[in-house]
Amino acid sequence: MGDLEIHRPEGVRLQKVLAAAGVGSRRKCEVLIERGLVKVDGEVVNQLGVRVDPDAVKIEVKGKRIVVDDNAVTVVLNKPRGVVSTMSDPQGRPALDQFVREYDQRLFHVGRLDAETTGVLLLTNDGELANRLAHPTHGVPKVYVAKVEGQAAKGLCTRLRAGVDLEDGPVRVSDCAILDVSKGHSLVKVELHEGRNRIVRRMLDKVGHPVVDLVRTDFGPISLGTLQPGEVRRLSREEVGALMNVAGL
């Protein structure tokens, strides 16, 4: 073990750390190690006697980050309409604190949604994860479905992909689909890699389709699923690991 920098004689056996993180049984974790499918701080570990400090290393299984910190809490909220994206509001408007009272940890919201927008909002007590996910350099993809005024023409998505000039710089979508066109309204799905203030509303307004209703359905690998407005769900270790991957952690 001497040639492995990550080995800590006083640490915890790697297969025990993996099993505790929900990867599988101790035996299954031993097989993963023996097959060279586990990395610690970027280094392949294929020996069963390795001990590590789980709080000080980055562990990956089949290229995916695993989470070993039980004190780390990340949740997804389906933010209802009319709720502001602050933990408490001095003006007395409905805020986010009411949805996470069951958690002892102090949670922070990752980015924000404007009051009238509903959908996926992440809250976590992992400050580094929150900062990375919110930072524009990582360009975490976000998907929105917008009900807009007017009948969307076929060329709308082409225009949005090409880019729209706004007062604070151009914005372009990475993906777009017209889901439905009915009398006077259309349903448009867009994916963006940035999160400037009211960016989706301003972009669609600029191309002549003011937003009537807006929901964020996905934030990176986390989807709304069947979560109802006001409902909160704690993310699994696998989901948090997937978020860490897109955040470059």
Side-chain angles (χ1 to χ4, degrees):
M1 303 304 154
D3 59 334
L4 283 175
E5 288 184 14
I6 48 86
H7 180 64
R8 295 288 178 271
E10 74 287 356
V12 183
R13 281 188 184 275
L14 182 56
Q15 58 265 43
K16 185 177 180 181
V17 175
L18 294 176
V23 173
S25 68
R26 191 84 60 94
R27 180 62 197 137
K28 178 188 173 184
C29 294
E30 289 174 351
V31 171
L32 290 169
I33 293 169
E34 289 172 330
R35 289 182 179 170
L37 298 173
V38 178
K39 286 184 179 180
V40 180
D41 284 349
E43 188 174 3
V44 173
V45 176
N46 52 21
Q47 306 170 55
L48 293 182
V50 173
R51 292 174 177 268
V52 298
D53 176 359
D55 295 326
V57 291
K58 173 184 175 181
I59 302 174
E60 295 168 278
V61 177
K62 299 179 183 177
K64 294 183 178 179
R65 175 80 179 259
I66 68 153
V67 182
V68 296
D69 184 0
D70 282 329
N71 295 314
V73 173
T74 302
V75 304
V76 54
L77 162 70
N78 183 348
K79 189 190 82 66
R81 184 178 285 103
V83 173
V84 293
S85 291
T86 56
M87 295 314 294
S88 61
D89 183 61
Q91 298 174 39
R93 295 172 296 179
L96 300 173
D97 56 342
Q98 62 183 303
F99 302 106
V100 291
R101 285 180 181 140
E102 67 182 277
Y103 296 98
D104 296 328
Q105 297 86 348
R106 186 182 174 202
L107 302 181
F108 306 88
H109 50 95
V110 178
R112 57 184 63 229
L113 292 174
D114 67 70
E116 296 311 302
T117 300
T118 63
V120 171
L121 189 64
L122 300 177
L123 298 99
T124 183
N125 66 339
D126 185 332
E128 186 179 8
L129 178 62
N131 289 336
R132 289 288 194 104
L133 288 173
H135 203 277
T137 53
H138 292 283
V140 179
K142 304 166 191 75
V143 178
Y144 299 81
V145 173
K147 181 182 180 183
V148 300
E149 293 179 13
Q151 293 182 279
K154 288 182 179 177
L156 174 65
C157 284
T158 304
R159 185 174 178 190
L160 294 177
R161 284 194 184 97
V164 178
D165 286 322
L166 300 177
E167 62 272 15
D168 54 353
V171 59
R172 61 174 53 86
V173 304
S174 53
D175 200 11
C176 174
I178 298 170
L179 303 180
D180 187 46
V181 178
S182 57
K183 191 175 180 181
H185 291 101
S186 303
L187 211 56
V188 182
K189 180 179 181 180
V190 294
E191 179 182 283
L192 296 91
H193 289 252
E194 59 174 296
R196 276 182 273 161
N197 187 38
R198 300 177 70 86
I199 190 80
V200 178
R201 292 178 184 275
R202 291 191 288 130
M203 175 182 66
L204 289 168
D205 192 51
K206 186 70 181 279
V207 296
H209 292 288
V211 171
V212 177
D213 199 16
L214 183 64
V215 57
R216 181 160 69 188
T217 59
D218 301 82
F219 188 110
I222 307 304
S223 295
L224 200 54
T226 58
L227 213 59
Q228 297 301 302
E231 281 188 348
V232 171
R233 179 176 68 80
R234 183 171 180 174
L235 299 185
S236 67
R237 290 174 185 270
E238 290 76 17
E239 288 174 312
V240 176
L243 278 174
M244 287 179 159
N245 279 344
V246 299
L249 284 171

